[in-house]
Amino acid sequence: VARTPSSPAAASNHRPAGLWYLLIGCLALLGVSAANVAAQEPKAPAPVDETLLCKDNQPIMITYIGGTRGKESTPVILLHEQGKNRRDLEKLGLSLQQLIGAAVVIPDLRGHGDSPIKTPQGKLVDNATFRRDDFLKMLQDLNAVKEFLLKKNNANELNIDKLAVVGVQMGATIGAVWGQEDWLAKLYLQGKSGQFVKLVVLVSPQL
């Protein structure tokens, strides 16, 4: 697990340049070489938006940026901070695709961006009012993302066993908790249901 400074001022000074260098260094641990990717000169897929349905029937919107290394593409989940949305991280996702061939998923976590939460009366829920249980429900968002990535893995579009999770503030905390859950998942005779996460990068975790 890699961490950047928890001080808001320090985090501000280190983003996006500090975050970028941190990511390149960390992803190198997964055997990803920017030089090797550049030598292959692959065609980069354009970003696509897709809606995923969580097990509690909450829809979440994601942007998927396909990898350029086929089955060797490293999947990266980018998680935004509270009050922000996936668009804030899309430029970083495109850079990861271009330089290391990563397959990137950027979700709007529930209550943010294009993943609104509505009351039974149809009123939008403000994420500024979220309590602990509301944040914990975001783990279901990441489970839906994992199912999405498993399908891409089975289609030989990426290698889910090299999964990296990068989170900023709220996203860092959710990513850390979910990464732990992934490693506590049971292993079945017919295959793995977890232990895919090999790298977690936490940028100014929000407690």
Side-chain angles (χ1 to χ4, degrees), residues 116-130:
I117 299 176
K118 294 184 179 180
T119 67
Q121 294 75 32
K123 183 180 179 180
L124 289 177
V125 177
D126 186 350
N127 60 67
T129 67
F130 277 12

Side-chain angles (χ1 to χ4, degrees), residues 14 49 83 137:
H14 284 75
D49 292 335
K137 289 178 182 178

Side-chain angles (χ1 to χ4, degrees), residues 103-189:
V104 183
V105 178
I106 317 172
D108 272 340
L109 296 171
R110 62 181 63 201
H112 295 76
D114 295 319
S115 303
I117 299 176
K118 294 184 179 180
T119 67
Q121 294 75 32
K123 183 180 179 180
L124 289 177
V125 177
D126 186 350
N127 60 67
T129 67
F130 277 12
R131 296 180 179 273
R132 181 176 182 274
D133 288 346
D134 298 307
F135 291 114
L136 288 177
K137 289 178 182 178
M138 292 178 180
L139 299 177
Q140 297 186 54
D141 303 353
L142 293 184
N143 287 335
V145 170
K146 180 169 71 173
E147 292 301 317
F148 173 84
L149 289 174
L150 277 170
K151 292 178 182 178
K152 296 296 182 181
N153 177 81
N154 295 339
N156 294 319
E157 295 182 25
L158 54 85
N159 185 350
I160 198 168
D161 276 310
K162 298 195 294 183
L163 180 60
V165 180
V166 181
V168 183
Q169 294 184 355
M170 175 195 74
T173 304
I174 299 301
V177 175
W178 184 76
Q180 181 182 38
E181 284 198 353
D182 174 70
W183 270 88
L184 293 175
K186 294 181 179 179
L187 301 181
Y188 298 96
L189 292 177

